[in-house]
Amino acid sequence: MAPVQTTYGSASAGDPYIPTGGNGGYVAEHYDLNLSYRVATNRLNATAIITARALIPLDRFSLDFAGLSMEKVTVNGERPTKVTHSARKLVISVATRVEAGAVFEVTVRYRGAPHPVRSAWGDVGWEELDDGVLVSGQPCGAASWFPCNDHPSNKATYRIEIACESGYTVVSNGVLSARSSRSGRTSWTFDVREPMATYLATVLIGRYRRRDLAAAPVAHSLFFPAQLATRVGTDFARLTEMIAFFADRFGPYPFASYSVVVTDDELEIPLEAHGLAVFGSNHVDGEHGSDRLIAHELAHQWYGNSLTVARWQDIWLQEGFACYAEWLWEEQRGGRTADSLAVLHRGKVAALPHDIVVGDPGPHAMFDDRVYKRGALALHAIRKSLGDEAFFAALRAYTAARRHGQVSTEDFVEFFSEHTGSRAIGGFVARWVQQSALPSL
């Protein structure tokens, strides 16, 4: 007997790092988010219109959606036959089957008091600040503020409209395409034209000043509380130079602009998002004390935001590259060379347990510092083997070929091997990334 063809999209993306995250049976292609938010009371009223394409015939499918109340759902304008909302999923049974390959539209109207979702990495997602909002979605927090297919393998374009009290500045991904004010509230509209992973979508609301730094090599701006103006001005004075340097090493900056937001609150770590980075007040000291962090978050625009891992086990491809960018920047500024930094950090890694494989560290270790450092050490070993000219030419070709797409360890090895003609690439990755024993430099 032939197997029965399922018409139910799978309940997750099948990623063991976030076993309940993501959804199967379709890919989201565009999100149109209309958000009306009150900072004073943390109340959100919103509508999400999701344009998706079915991969199989669908009688039922699900969206990631956590902590908010669903009011109404339609699929291609029709009310579903059934909608079930659990703690993390919105399961929708359609009135008319969506055929494989068909593009369909899901509209979800919802409301509530958004808050972070609990995860193995702490609370992630929509977070209230002392006077404003920050969204940190990595790796599974996007569902805290909009229904989505929350997995990095599904990148989509976005339109994000946010209305809130007029005393606040709103920053989000993409290009600010419209702004209007009425009755004490201001609406801000952002368009994200490049495919973006859900975890990189963000909203930042605060009483910020804006300072435009330069238009080249790409337009870049700072947003910050007034009382931090002097410190921010000093600490980010080299940002234009840094963008130009990374564009030379990695290839053209991949998005239309770059924004840096400094919150009035202290943050445990800085955060990257598509086209922007977020720092806490504790990360600015007016003495360039966070240059390493500034370089790291900027490098993620290439490695993480444009070139995005299709599965979380390959996160070394994002964090290893960003860590190596720190070393490149210090070398460029006349500080310690990347070679001396590699020796230093290999010594530090050697003093730690050799009990993870950074090419598949497991969910609880995916943000372990050894993933960052051993990833960077792998890149430095490849650079030493190839020489600077061939290494950076390969990096530029890699970011161009995979621009706004997906990457994996296997893809990286194959690309570098073919581009450079080197048979050694796979061996370097195997020793530094795919085994727990620590090799020599």
Side-chain angles (χ1 to χ4, degrees):
M1 179 181 293
V4 176
Q5 173 68 48
T6 179
T7 58
Y8 294 166
S10 62
S12 80
D15 190 330
Y17 282 49
I18 47 171
T20 64
N23 303 274
Y26 68 91
V27 289
E29 297 185 338
H30 181 74
Y31 293 91
D32 191 326
L33 308 178
N34 190 312
L35 314 172
S36 179
Y37 182 69
R38 294 192 178 276
V39 179
T41 57
N42 187 40
R43 297 299 298 179
L44 177 68
N45 287 278
T47 300
I49 303 174
I50 304 153
T51 303
R53 178 169 46 85
L55 301 177
I56 62 173
L58 289 175
D59 287 320
R60 187 177 75 186
F61 62 91
S62 60
L63 295 162
D64 295 296
F65 189 51
L68 295 164
S69 299
M70 181 275 298
E71 291 189 314
K72 183 180 179 182
V73 175
T74 60
V75 178
N76 290 335
E78 288 187 304
R79 297 293 293 266
T81 57
K82 184 178 181 181
V83 178
T84 303
H85 190 190
S86 63
R88 296 291 181 96
K89 297 286 182 180
L90 193 63
V91 182
I92 301 166
S93 298
V94 296
T96 303
R97 175 181 292 181
V98 180
E99 297 302 331
V103 174
F104 63 103
E105 186 176 276
V106 185
T107 301
V108 183
R109 194 171 69 211
Y110 59 101
R111 60 182 172 80
H115 58 272
V117 297
R118 292 185 178 180
S119 77
W121 309 274
D123 291 346
V124 292
W126 187 285
E127 180 178 349
E128 285 187 272
L129 301 176
D130 287 343
D131 188 21
V133 167
L134 176 154
V135 174
S136 173
Q138 190 179 25
C140 56
S144 68
W145 63 287
F146 67 101
C148 56
N149 187 9
D150 195 8
H151 193 266
S153 62
N154 188 175
K155 301 173 77 169
T157 57
Y158 287 70
R159 177 184 176 275
I160 305 172
E161 182 177 349
I162 312 112
C164 70
E165 297 92 324
S166 292
Y168 294 90
T169 296
V170 175
V171 184
S172 188
N173 314 97
V175 175
L176 177 63
S177 58
R179 183 175 65 184
S180 61
S181 297
R182 182 180 180 183
S183 303
R185 292 177 63 77
T186 299
S187 177
W188 310 67
T189 302
F190 300 85
D191 290 304
V192 182
R193 295 157 186 161
E194 314 87 4
M196 176 173 72
T198 47
Y199 82 90
L200 294 168
T202 192
V203 172
L204 298 140
I205 302 174
R207 299 184 187 275
Y208 298 129
R209 288 187 177 180
R210 173 175 176 161
R211 181 182 298 167
D212 296 329
L213 295 183
V218 67
H220 49 289
S221 306
L222 304 175
F223 296 84
F224 53 88
Q227 68 273 18
L228 296 180
T230 300
R231 282 190 276 168
V232 168
T234 298
D235 288 345
F236 289 93
R238 298 170 182 160
L239 184 59
T240 302
E241 179 187 353
M242 190 181 290
I243 294 173
F245 172 66
F246 285 167
D248 177 72
R249 292 296 187 269
F250 304 149
Y253 179 82
F255 306 118
S257 63
Y258 183 60
S259 297
V260 169
V261 179
V262 180
T263 71
D264 202 18
D265 296 54
E266 293 189 358
L267 302 179
E268 183 179 355
I269 57 172
L271 310 165
E272 94 272 5
H274 182 105
L276 56 91
V278 186
F279 297 82
S281 58
N282 53 311
H283 297 129
V284 292
D285 57 10
E287 299 178 359
H288 290 283
S290 291
D291 277 14
R292 177 183 68 82
L293 301 176
I294 294 169
H296 184 104
E297 303 309 329
L298 174 60
H300 272 311
Q301 300 308 314
W302 286 265
Y303 305 107
N305 303 357
S306 178
L307 280 66
T308 307
V309 295
R311 58 192 185 193
W312 284 115
Q313 73 179 60
D314 290 320
I315 194 170
W316 79 271
L317 281 171
Q318 300 184 172
E319 300 302 348
F321 270 98
C323 180
Y324 196 55
E326 301 172 23
W327 303 358
L328 294 176
W329 176 247
E330 183 166 341
E331 185 175 66
Q332 168 69 8
R333 290 291 303 170
R336 292 169 292 183
T337 64
D339 204 50
S340 65
L341 288 165
V343 172
L344 171 67
H345 288 293
R346 188 207 175 275
K348 291 183 176 181
V349 172
L352 298 172
H354 303 165
D355 57 358
I356 65 169
V357 174
V358 302
D360 189 2
H364 293 285
M366 61 187 281
F367 298 113
D368 190 292
D369 194 54
R370 291 168 291 179
V371 174
Y372 294 50
K373 298 303 190 293
R374 284 189 62 153
L377 286 164
L379 295 171
H380 188 66
I382 294 170
R383 177 187 176 187
K384 288 177 66 177
S385 171
L386 296 175
D388 280 10
E389 184 176 353
F391 176 72
F392 289 112
L395 281 189
R396 290 188 290 271
Y398 178 55
T399 59
R402 302 296 183 263
R403 183 178 175 91
H404 304 147
Q406 308 285 345
V407 293
S408 67
T409 299
E410 295 80 5
D411 173 71
F412 171 79
V413 171
E414 180 180 359
F415 184 92
F416 262 64
S417 299
E418 291 183 356
H419 186 83
T420 64
S422 172
R423 298 180 179 179
I425 306 300
F428 286 121
V429 171
R431 289 190 292 276
W432 286 102
V433 173
Q434 294 174 326
Q435 66 178 28
S436 59
L438 185 66
S440 300
L441 283 170

